[in-house]
Amino acid sequence: MKRREQSQTEQLRQALAEREAQLQEARSRLAAVEGSTSLQVGRALTAAAKRPGRSLVKLPRDLYRLWRRSGTTRHTERRRPGAEPVRSFDTDRQEARLLTGVVGGREDLLVVATVVGPAIQQAVDPYVRTVPLRPHDAQIVMDGVDVDLVLVSSSAAAPGSPWAHVGDPAVVDRTRALHWVLESAAARGIPAVLLDDAPAPPALRELGFDRVHDGDAGVPLHQFNPVAADLVRGPEAVYVRSGEGDSVPELLTDLGAGVTDADSPDLADALRAANVAVIPGAGPDHERVRRRAWACGAHVVAHADPARTGGEDLAVSVPRLRAAVPSSAEQRTMLRQVFFDAATPVRLAEILEGLDLDTDTPGARLPLRGRSVAVLADPAGEAEADQLADDLLAATLRPTEVVVPGAAARLPGVQRLRAEGVTVRSARFNAPDTPEELTRDGDRPRIGGLGTDGWAALAERATAPWAYPWTGHVGADRLADLVCAAECSGADAVGAPAPASDGSEDTGGDAGGQGFFDRARSHGTQYVFVSAVTPELARTPLLRRGWNPAEWNRRGSRLLALGPDHGTAPGGGADGPAHSAADASTGAIG
């Protein structure tokens, strides 16, 4: 492992600890001198000399007492100062970060010093704790903050950026500042990664990175997603250009297609409003734009050189796909593939895999930590326990842990989950048995066959950030779709829309005007915020409260509706391979 030097904050903290140790040693020595027999004999003789009358009479008695005590071991006074408690690496590091006053936030996020473009910064912000570096303060920040990783992107060298043209021999000051950052990181054992996501001066690659990744940071699903897509107004067909200088095919202009750029800040809204996106047929933007279009629920048509194709393919495919609204199954299949293969947490985990990170740093596991799910279940017998095991082992997103009542932990199905490597936790669960308890339990709100207090007791044992109350058979993709919807929306709970008082579903629309799903493309309540849901996935701290789910919205929780599982679209809905239970380990790492 690389030799790790200390940051300025760590050095000051260590110097303070050394001063405190020296002060403690001086106090111990002073206490030993104060309690020594020689000092006490000297004090007795001095007192007798100052007051010869009475003190001379008491002197023999005092000296005799001192002689008697000198032969007795006084453990309480002679006890050596205890050794300092062993402090873990993580404790020291967190203390150093708190002292800086710069880095805060959650402790389950990697702390990353960034020299990146604005798009990369926005993409990684929800998944790591970033400390942006600028040319004028890079040395000060690096000296004062303890980080886990240095992340640099080629897009940071774009004109208009604080690091514009870094790596160019004509911009020596910025290149020197970045080179100092990388040297400081190497001396402290902090890996440095370059994301080669845009054209940049060739010398940028030669500054000394531990890893150079060709590509960007993946698809940020908190930006590119189908949430409330029916509210976004725009053309149903959109042409995505690689740059402003690219020409637009005349056929698309005649069809009224919208035009946007691959690096436009409005790209997400344009893709969310469209049924079909025409993207470059080749080049660096092809795969990037295609994944983003899938995440927004739009069909994709790859368009090559207009002069070579003559526009015949577009004349057929664009009108057909513009009128063909993606079904719920197609939309989920496309989004699910991006969630597993190209989302930002997955890309960050790939980048971090194999890097020489510091001891006790979770590393590649942390970006995927937000996808960890604890399944809460109360199987009534062996048949339900077997069904639970079948559902979870066949799921495309494997849960991190399963929490069951203590009595159910011995059922064969639960034991099979433990044998397959799934962490199983048991909770004390007292079922109501008296008439008063049965009456009181019957009046409480329920999720499935269990009351909210029961789910709260199970959630107390869960350690994952998300909890899934299992109430019966569930499809293989349902858990992945729920977690994906939560990652896209930032909601506190996801589930089927709860029926309103009149028996209709809550669609979140305005009763006096057009609702969210009055348009033909809605295909049911899906990916929209509502006032009440039947919770299928919820944040674990929310379930621990034991609140009535009908009150969650009034208590400030954000609730996202996801319609029933319609299965997988024919052909997968995308060009990539479909995921199965064998790929479940790529979803979340506990």
Side-chain angles (χ1 to χ4, degrees), residues 257-299:
V259 179
T260 187
D261 296 329
D263 57 353
S264 171
D266 299 327
L267 177 62
D269 284 337
L271 295 176
R272 204 175 284 120
N275 290 340
V276 57
V278 183
I279 67 172
D285 292 329
H286 171 74
E287 188 67 22
R288 183 172 67 91
V289 176
R290 182 176 66 146
R291 299 284 189 179
R292 283 160 170 74
W294 285 351
C296 294
H299 292 296

Side-chain angles (χ1 to χ4, degrees), residues 446-461:
R446 309 180 74 82
I447 303 175
L450 196 62
T452 55
D453 289 346
W455 294 118
L458 296 177
E460 286 290 343
R461 290 282 294 146

